[in-house]
Amino acid sequence: MSDETTRPAGTPGPCTEEHGDTAAPPGTHGRTDRDATTAAGRHGRTDRDATTAAGRHGRTDRDATTAAGRHIDADAPAAPDSGTDAAAGGVATAAAPSRRALLGWGGAGLALGAAAAGGAVAAATTGGDRTAPAAAGGAAVPFHGAHQAGIATAVQDRLHFASFDVRTGDRAELVRLLQDWTRAAESMTAGNPVGEGAYGGLPEAPPDDTGEALGLKPSRLTLTIGFGPSLFDARFGLKDRRPAALVELPKFAGDNLDPARSGGDLCVQACADDPQVAVHAIRQLARIGFGKVAVRWSQLGFGKTSSTTPEAQTPRNLMGFKDGTRNIAGTDTAALRKHVWVSRKDGPAWLVGGSYLVARRIRMNVETWDRTSLKEQEDIFGRDKGEGAPVGRAKERDEPFLPAMLPTAHVRLAHPDSNGGARMLRRGYSFTDGTDGLGRLDAGLFFLAYQRDVAHGFVPVQRSLAADDLNEYIQHVGSALYAIPPGVRDKDDWWGRALFS
């Protein structure tokens, strides 16, 4: 590596390339009249309808494009109408935490608030592929379905990802928490507050919702939960239910993983077009779970680095290159069935219709990269920086001719033809987390990849990338693997019900 740091060479690179229902109308998190200043992407509060004192908030018309975001696995059991209305279907109120619990949560709340400020800065940067902030549409993504939303769903602009350690050893208490989290997720993704809302309740009691999303639209919020390998220890009687594919990832060449940014019993991926909506969602779940779970680590993301909508302009990563040109499309049901969704023959039964998620925090040495010549940058990726065309081709989506690339080019090493056909559905985000104390940006890629089996997805591709020239400029510093259960079918279902039944 040409930077001053002493990280080991040969770190596998970010997989930036080839492996690449009708529902109830969405609501708003509070008041519906909008101040004209909201065109900048921040939604102000206005005159309150007298009916909002009861904690119910009006809904808006849904963007028709969200109808394509639900995909049914032919191998999975038939699902009920995915247009089930989460808000009108009698969403249960999550148990309100005690005042003592909220006092304990206060410190973590401050930390999340600071994280929200960083997300707000990221919200100011918008790509050139749209003429108005996507959040202005305020669409809601259906929560119920055969698969969890937030996987094949069109990728939103912002991310707040959180990994949790389970503190309770009581199985019944963990089940109750998952049920409460499900009811809260149903409400928030529909644009409604948690429980009785942020105001209008007993003055002597803390409100059920913290209120920072009041006046904001749903912003296509999705919440996706996963279960880590450590959840299947002796605490909850789940040892014999651990999927064979949910193994600890092997150590890859050049890994420099920080245990404080790795692993976890549970994860929740919150994606939205408004960073405050995403942060609010994680904050509410952490608040509900106080005393039963604790945040192990979290990551804010902005500027999606891959897309599930190939008809849209391909996003770019912080190295300036288009990312995810050949990513699996959210509408490609055949590819999703083949590469993403767990089928009956994969097992176990409780995971059918689910997936596996690999999360990797990849630090980029952007200062070193920025001093690298354009030709070398393009040789390293195997694509030109402007159009995104592979070496020797004219257009971004032209079929790559791998022998024309350097043997160490990222595209060549990551391509399915170099990895036995392995593909993943990626939903990565860029991040910047201040500096590293030495005057360098702590920035990079938060890599998220969904697949049917990591042994035939992430693992072979990452091993192939050990020879990637990109490794001089990046390093993997955080890692986690989760089993992603299938979707919540209706208002009586809940996250992980089949696992705990």
Side-chain angles (χ1 to χ4, degrees):
M1 187 182 81
S2 59
D3 197 2
E4 303 84 0
T5 56
T6 57
R7 68 159 195 80
T11 311
C15 301
T16 59
E17 179 53 30
E18 316 301 321
H19 41 269
D21 22 28
T22 48
T28 58
H29 296 275
R31 305 161 195 169
T32 56
D33 295 336
R34 186 163 307 289
D35 189 328
T37 61
T38 61
R42 193 49 76 205
H43 308 288
R45 302 173 191 162
T46 59
D47 295 337
R48 187 194 327 163
D49 186 343
T51 61
T52 62
R56 278 294 162 225
H57 309 288
R59 302 171 188 166
T60 61
D61 292 334
R62 175 155 65 93
D63 185 341
T65 61
T66 61
R70 276 285 170 244
H71 307 288
I72 305 302
D73 182 359
D75 289 331
D81 178 10
S82 57
T84 306
D85 181 352
V91 176
T93 300
S98 68
R99 183 175 299 276
R100 176 173 296 184
L102 290 182
L103 289 173
W105 162 242
L110 290 174
L112 285 174
V121 173
T125 61
T126 57
D129 58 342
R130 56 185 183 274
T131 57
V141 176
F143 180 75
H144 297 133
H147 313 295
Q148 289 195 68
I151 303 174
T153 308
V155 182
Q156 303 92 322
D157 290 339
R158 312 290 177 229
L159 166 80
H160 192 187
F161 188 97
S163 173
F164 296 85
D165 287 331
V166 177
R167 296 302 192 195
T168 181
D170 187 326
R171 177 182 170 120
E173 193 171 35
L174 175 58
V175 166
R176 177 59 184 168
L177 171 65
L178 293 173
Q179 292 170 339
D180 290 346
W181 271 9
T182 306
R183 302 288 80 85
E186 284 174 332
S187 189
M188 290 188 289
T189 55
N192 298 319
V194 173
E196 294 299 320
Y199 58 89
L202 289 174
E204 297 78 16
D208 290 343
D209 192 290
T210 52
E212 71 271 23
L214 287 172
L216 303 182
K217 293 182 179 180
S219 300
R220 296 195 298 135
L221 172 67
T222 57
L223 291 166
T224 312
I225 197 170
F227 305 138
S230 55
L231 188 70
F232 295 84
D233 56 18
R235 290 173 293 172
F236 307 111
L238 300 175
K239 268 190 166 184
D240 60 347
R241 312 211 77 186
R242 177 172 172 169
L246 189 65
V247 296
E248 298 291 347
L249 292 173
K251 182 175 175 58
F252 298 101
D255 275 2
N256 187 24
L257 304 181
D258 179 357
R261 289 187 178 273
S262 301
D265 295 329
L266 304 170
C267 76
V268 179
Q269 171 195 281
C271 297
D273 290 322
D274 187 321
Q276 187 141 321
V277 170
V279 170
H280 168 264
I282 294 295
R283 180 180 176 186
Q284 301 318 298
L285 298 184
R287 185 173 183 259
I288 292 168
F290 182 81
K292 297 179 279 292
V293 296
V295 176
R296 179 181 179 89
W297 55 269
S298 68
Q299 182 66 59
L300 286 170
F302 67 92
K304 60 187 178 185
T305 61
S306 53
S307 172
T308 56
T309 49
E311 68 278 4
Q313 179 171 307
T314 306
R316 293 179 185 268
N317 56 36
L318 290 183
M319 289 177 162
F321 279 78
K322 290 186 176 182
D323 206 338
T325 296
R326 298 172 62 89
N327 197 28
I328 296 174
T331 53
D332 190 346
T333 54
L336 291 168
R337 187 179 302 115
K338 181 177 180 179
H339 298 288
V340 178
W341 307 130
V342 174
S343 70
R344 285 193 180 94
K345 66 181 181 181
D346 299 322
W350 68 265
L351 194 55
V352 173
S355 190
Y356 292 93
L357 169 64
V358 172
R360 303 276 284 188
R361 188 178 192 270
I362 304 173
R363 170 84 181 272
M364 293 179 178
N365 300 313
V366 293
E367 292 82 5
T368 307
W369 178 258
D370 293 344
R371 297 195 299 271
T372 302
S373 71
L374 175 60
K375 183 181 186 306
E376 184 174 352
Q377 289 183 0
E378 292 182 334
D379 285 345
I380 287 171
F381 271 99
R383 287 185 179 270
D384 73 65
K385 198 168 188 177
E387 168 61 27
V391 172
R393 305 300 191 191
K395 299 296 182 182
E396 175 193 350
R397 300 189 185 280
D398 289 347
E399 188 65 27
F401 180 59
L402 301 184
M405 302 176 189
L406 294 177
T408 53
H410 182 78
V411 169
R412 182 170 181 170
L413 293 171
H415 196 280
D417 289 352
S418 301
N419 296 283
R423 296 186 70 191
M424 298 170 279
L425 185 153
R426 296 185 295 109
R427 294 181 61 94
Y429 287 83
S430 294
F431 70 84
T432 56
D433 289 337
T435 67
D436 63 359
L438 297 174
R440 297 170 300 197
L441 287 173
D442 181 5
L445 167 67
F446 190 64
F447 174 89
L448 296 168
Y450 290 88
Q451 62 235 267
R452 182 172 171 177
D453 186 340
V454 294
H456 299 95
F458 177 77
V459 171
V461 174
Q462 191 65 9
R463 283 177 172 159
S464 177
L465 289 171
D468 193 347
D469 278 343
L470 191 60
N471 294 332
E472 182 178 352
Y473 303 93
I474 59 94
Q475 187 170 55
H476 290 237
V477 295
S479 178
L481 171 65
Y482 305 95
I484 307 299
V488 175
R489 300 304 183 111
D490 52 43
K491 64 183 180 63
D492 297 319
D493 198 4
W494 45 275
W495 276 334
R497 179 188 58 79
L499 171 60
F500 287 89
S501 296

